[in-house]
Amino acid sequence: MEENLKKPSLGVSLAIVLFLFGCFVWQLITVGSPDVHMTLIFATVFAVVMLSVFTKTPLQLIEEGVIHGTKIATISMMILMFIGVMIPAWIAAGTIPSLIYYGVQIISPSVFLLTTTLVCSISCLATGTSWGTAATFGVALMGIGGGLGVDPAMTAGAIISGAIFGDKLSPISDTVNLSAASCEVNVFAHIKSVATATLPGYVLALVAAVFLGMKHSSGQINSEQVDTLLTALSTNFNVTPVYALISLIPMLLVVVLALRKFNALATIVISAMVGMLIAIVFQGYNIYDMMSYMNYGYVIETGNFDVDKLLNRGGLQSMMWTVSIGYLGLSYGGILEKTGVLDTLLFSAKAITSNARNLILTHMAAGIATIMLTASPYVSILIPGRMFIAGYDKLNIKRTVASRTCEHSGICIDPLLPWSLGAVYFSGVLGVSPLEYAPYTVLCWTVPVIAAFYAITGIFVWKEEPSAKGKENKKAAIKKEA
């Protein structure tokens, strides 16, 4: 059916896109709220009306677009829901309380953000998953940061910067392999190309972490507030060294299984179940307590406001707000993809790709527009990557430049858009909205700027070496003309 479908005109496609952007801008200016659920619904209804009236798009195809989008979302949303289940299990097991208890005694506030960025980048380089890093080390570091009095938005920004850095350079990352595959290049050649902008962005993120850390005390942590926090934790949880080590088993399981490339959803479920068993055996909870916590979130009253704020969180139901945004955003994107709106917009953009600078900048703009419209980082890699690859070949530019551009646009912007899959995930797991952590996620917004600078100046825009056969043909042509 899609092959015989009349493609929407550029005017209709632009109207659909501009309506969505207009709604978001109006909401942010007038309300300033991350609650974009109804905005996405209004934008979807507008798109359906425009496509039905002006393009005569059958409702069956629109329904296929919704199914396509939700299919993309389902596994990611299931992972998010089970992380909601896992977090209370880790808290009850003593995993997070133990990490907070010892973390606030070991880490100085002045180096906390730097340490956070480094830890998350190393974790993600090893495991290849920014989501897994956020769900393990990220959750624990949010707790430690809260105990040290660090702004949660700064902590979340450092976590995401580190995680995205590792995700962009790890040979076992799904987005790395997808970008390389979409442009048909070697994975390690792709990583070398991606590093040209990612490494400078990472250095800037580390510098920002050091600078922001200078705002906090650089001395030892002996404050009365922290002493009270430690007392509250040791009173309500078994945090002796032996039990603290046992409580780390759920987190270590996630890291080990991720390194072994075990199924992500199964890994989260196993970790949650192991955490529940440790909580029952070593922390004194019963199965009914754990079922309630894992569904509705962990609840405790220690008498210490700071401790209660750090630990009263999680639960399956707490993730449903985030899950609903994911499904709505990807349903909207699925409609635009299946009905040809994206094809129309990207085909129109190809007309201005006559030189390397315009080609790369247009490719970046298309990737950013695609992630904004579809909420899917994977779609933002695949569609622009395949659409523009012929332009790189025509201009004799190495395909590794194309593959890295896929990552420098959609993947970097993904955590910053409140309705995008990555932002939905990070905000749900870390408990900080994208609008709050975005200014501190330095790597995500500096890398696209650096990549655009390279495109404008021609730095690292590598050309293909002419083949031996090509040289011979050229010499023959010159000789013939002579």
Side-chain angles (χ1 to χ4, degrees):
M1 180 184 293
E2 292 178 53
E3 294 179 359
N4 301 323
L5 176 71
K6 176 186 174 183
K7 297 290 183 183
S9 66
L10 181 58
V12 170
S13 300
L14 285 174
I16 291 171
V17 171
L18 292 175
F19 183 83
L20 174 70
F21 290 161
C23 286
F24 282 138
V25 170
W26 175 81
Q27 180 174 357
L28 290 173
I29 292 175
T30 60
V31 183
S33 170
D35 296 329
V36 296
H37 299 72
M38 293 310 301
T39 302
L40 285 168
I41 290 175
F42 292 151
T44 301
V45 171
F46 180 81
V48 171
V49 170
M50 292 291 289
L51 290 167
S52 300
V53 172
F54 294 101
T55 313
K56 306 301 181 185
T57 304
L59 290 176
Q60 181 183 349
L61 184 60
I62 291 172
E63 183 178 323
E64 288 178 13
V66 172
I67 294 171
H68 174 68
T70 54
K71 184 178 179 181
I72 294 173
T74 295
I75 294 299
S76 299
M77 294 301 102
M78 288 294 292
I79 290 174
L80 190 58
M81 286 189 280
F82 276 101
I83 283 176
V85 171
M86 182 184 73
I87 289 173
W90 281 17
I91 296 173
T95 306
I96 293 176
S98 294
L99 287 168
I100 296 172
Y101 183 82
Y102 290 102
V104 296
Q105 297 178 74
I106 296 172
I107 303 174
S108 168
S110 63
V111 298
F112 171 73
L113 293 174
L114 177 63
T115 303
T116 294
T117 306
L118 291 170
V119 166
C120 290
S121 59
I122 293 170
S123 168
C124 197
L125 277 170
T127 63
T129 166
S130 58
W131 286 22
T133 295
T136 52
F137 291 100
V139 170
L141 288 163
M142 288 299 297
I144 295 172
L148 294 173
V150 178
D151 184 349
M154 292 183 184
T155 304
I159 290 168
I160 297 169
S161 285
I164 295 299
F165 169 79
D167 193 52
K168 285 167 65 63
L169 296 182
S170 173
I172 59 175
S173 164
D174 55 356
T175 56
V176 164
N177 284 277
L178 185 62
S179 297
S182 68
C183 296
E184 302 174 47
V185 300
N186 176 270
V187 169
F188 292 99
H190 165 75
I191 290 173
K192 178 181 176 181
S193 184
V194 169
T196 57
T198 302
L199 286 174
Y202 184 61
V203 170
L204 291 174
L206 294 178
V207 170
V210 171
F211 175 76
L212 292 172
M214 292 170 61
K215 295 183 178 181
H216 301 280
S217 170
S218 60
Q220 295 296 318
I221 308 170
N222 296 316
S223 71
E224 181 180 346
Q225 180 183 3
V226 173
D227 289 339
T228 304
L229 181 145
L230 296 177
T231 301
L233 288 172
S234 60
T235 301
N236 290 276
F237 297 92
N238 193 337
V239 292
T240 57
V242 173
Y243 287 109
L245 288 174
I246 294 173
S247 73
L248 292 180
I249 292 174
M251 176 179 283
L252 294 175
L253 264 176
V254 172
V255 175
V256 171
L257 292 175
L259 286 172
R260 294 179 65 86
K261 300 183 182 179
F262 200 71
N263 179 273
L265 182 58
T267 298
I268 299 299
V269 173
I270 291 169
S271 179
M273 294 301 105
V274 171
M276 180 187 72
L277 291 175
I278 292 174
I280 293 172
V281 175
F282 295 102
Q283 299 290 353
Y285 294 100
N286 61 53
I287 185 66
Y288 303 107
D289 291 333
M290 293 308 301
M291 289 174 66
S292 177
Y293 293 152
M294 294 164 83
N295 189 20
Y296 298 107
Y298 188 79
V299 179
I300 190 171
E301 293 183 8
T302 65
N304 184 301
F305 175 79
D306 293 325
V307 173
D308 293 348
K309 184 178 179 181
L310 289 174
L311 300 182
N312 288 342
R313 56 179 306 191
L316 174 65
Q317 301 305 323
S318 72
M319 292 297 179
M320 300 315 293
W321 182 95
T322 303
V323 167
S324 58
I325 287 184
Y327 273 116
L328 289 171
L330 286 169
S331 295
Y332 177 84
I335 291 172
L336 268 56
E337 184 179 348
K338 284 291 183 180
T339 58
V341 171
L342 286 180
D343 286 343
T344 298
L345 293 171
L346 292 177
F347 183 79
S348 301
K350 290 175 71 174
I352 58 174
T353 57
S354 58
N355 56 55
R357 180 194 62 197
N358 289 352
L359 174 63
I360 297 171
L361 292 178
T362 302
H363 185 174
M364 289 184 64
I368 293 170
T370 304
I371 189 73
M372 294 179 75
L373 294 172
T374 67
S376 171
Y378 306 110
V379 175
S380 76
I381 289 173
L382 285 170
I383 295 180
R386 297 309 301 172
M387 287 289 292
F388 290 100
I389 192 65
Y392 288 88
D393 291 342
K394 183 179 179 181
L395 295 175
N396 207 37
I397 300 172
K398 285 190 174 182
R399 287 193 171 193
T400 51
V401 178
S403 65
R404 81 177 184 218
T405 304
C406 292
E407 293 214 49
H408 291 339
S409 49
I411 298 302
C412 285
I413 299 300
D414 179 38
L416 306 181
L417 300 174
W419 63 93
S420 186
L421 198 57
V424 164
Y425 181 86
F426 287 123
S427 62
V429 170
L430 303 178
V432 182
S433 78
L435 296 179
E436 292 177 309
Y437 68 61
Y440 305 107
T441 313
V442 176
L443 182 130
C444 289
W445 49 264
T446 55
V447 168
V449 173
I450 294 169
F453 173 76
Y454 289 163
I456 294 169
T457 60
I459 299 173
F460 297 123
V461 179
W462 301 303
K463 296 283 187 175
E464 289 284 5
E465 291 293 332
S467 64
K469 185 177 180 181
K471 289 180 179 179
E472 290 174 5
N473 292 338
K474 187 174 181 180
K475 286 180 180 179
I478 294 172
K479 185 176 180 181
K480 185 177 180 180
E481 288 178 4

